[in-house]
Amino acid sequence: IPAGGSLGEASCTCFSAPLPGGRHVFGRNFDWDPNPALVLLTRPRDGYASVSLVDISYLGFPGSRSPLDAPDGLAEAWRIPFDGMNEKGFAVGMMAVDHAEGPQGTGKPRVGELGILRVLLDRAASVDEAIQLMGAHEVAVDTPPLHYLLADRTGDAAVVEFVDGRLRVIRSGTPWMVSTNFLLAEVPPPARDHACWRYAAASARLREGKGLPGAEGAMNLLETVSVPRTRWSAVYELDSGRLTLALGRRYGRTCRWALR
């Protein structure tokens, strides 16, 4: 992922949370430059079907150029999902951090920061499987460096970070988990609410309700922690396979897709 702005501009938020009836949801705000977004459905022959979101400016389509002018340019969109969910109810989202150091010289297959999301969406049915896959690859840290929130339909969730060349896995110890733009491995739990107002606001809402009252509550929470640069707000319902999407903070005009 090439540089496109400062870390302060990349103020993304991800969370996983339980819903009534044993259901689970994954919410994600992507905050970045005002470029076009693509909703991508993939059904690989040797992997799981998935729905993901792609910032197609990274394929040469800024807001001033329509992909309809050169649709062949979208052929590589599957390689760079920014967040997504697969048919097994596994979801993943990435967020920028101020530094990360991935493993090098391991001899493992090397994959890009966004390419690893495609590996996980295609091949992981659970958080544990996703962590194993990330450990089996050498993730090439780029600019900006990233960390990842993983979640599945059982309610399991984890943040994966690369610190000092090592893969670090952090779990919350609660039925919900929040991640924004700081390394959880470097900030102890009592100090995390002071590290980011979005982290504090999302955590407080989930703590107060011991989760969320429904999928609509997930979108409301994303609106609460949105910023002027929020490009999209995505709610992935991990049990039903539904995606609800709001673009450019237009929370009164959402779109929906069903993966299953």
Side-chain angles (χ1 to χ4, degrees):
I1 178 170
S6 72
L7 179 57
E9 295 168 340
S11 48
C12 301
T13 303
C14 289
F15 64 82
S16 66
L19 304 179
R23 297 173 295 133
H24 296 88
V25 69
F26 184 96
R28 192 285 206 277
N29 277 347
F30 179 61
D31 308 331
W32 198 242
D33 295 329
N35 297 316
L38 172 72
V39 177
L40 180 66
L41 298 172
T42 60
R43 299 188 182 275
R45 288 190 296 270
D46 57 350
Y48 302 130
S50 67
V51 58
S52 58
L53 281 153
V54 181
D55 178 341
I56 60 173
S57 69
Y58 292 85
L59 298 172
F61 295 101
S64 59
R65 183 186 180 211
S66 169
L68 298 179
D69 297 334
D72 290 349
L74 298 178
E76 298 299 305
W78 66 274
R79 295 182 181 273
I80 55 168
F82 284 55
D83 50 78
M85 169 185 62
N86 68 21
E87 63 180 298
K88 295 297 183 179
F90 167 80
V92 58
M94 62 76 179
M95 297 136 285
V97 288
D98 61 1
H99 74 94
E101 302 82 34
Q104 297 185 39
T106 64
K108 298 174 182 178
R110 192 163 175 82
V111 65
E113 286 186 313
L114 296 180
I116 191 63
L117 275 77
R118 173 51 56 203
V119 172
L120 303 185
L121 291 170
D122 285 355
R123 298 171 56 189
S126 67
V127 169
D128 284 342
E129 288 185 9
I131 292 169
Q132 292 174 8
L133 283 166
M134 294 186 83
H137 289 78
E138 190 174 282
V139 178
V141 174
D142 208 324
T143 303
L146 306 175
H147 68 167
Y148 309 85
L149 178 59
L150 321 175
D152 65 38
R153 63 192 302 178
T154 73
D156 194 12
V159 168
V160 174
E161 302 175 340
F162 294 98
V163 181
D164 296 329
R166 295 174 50 227
L167 183 149
R168 302 286 298 273
V169 177
I170 301 98
R171 284 184 162 89
S172 66
T174 64
W176 56 87
M177 189 157 198
V178 178
S179 182
T180 58
N181 301 97
F182 62 92
L183 289 168
L184 273 66
E186 296 186 344
V187 181
R192 289 174 184 168
D193 280 356
H194 302 290
C196 173
W197 74 265
R198 290 172 290 104
Y199 182 96
S203 297
R205 177 81 62 86
L206 295 172
R207 197 161 45 237
E208 178 183 1
K210 294 182 171 54
L212 291 166
E216 68 282 355
M219 189 62 78
N220 291 339
L221 178 50
L222 290 174
E223 182 176 6
T224 297
V225 296
S226 69
V227 297
R229 295 175 62 87
T230 297
R231 292 269 316 290
W232 67 69
S233 299
V235 174
Y236 296 97
E237 297 177 53
L238 304 184
D239 302 273
S240 67
R242 287 193 293 266
L243 163 65
T244 302
L245 179 67
L247 295 171
R249 304 177 89 187
R250 294 190 292 271
Y251 294 102
R253 297 177 57 191
T254 58
C255 306
R256 292 190 174 189
W257 289 264
L259 183 57
R260 294 191 293 272

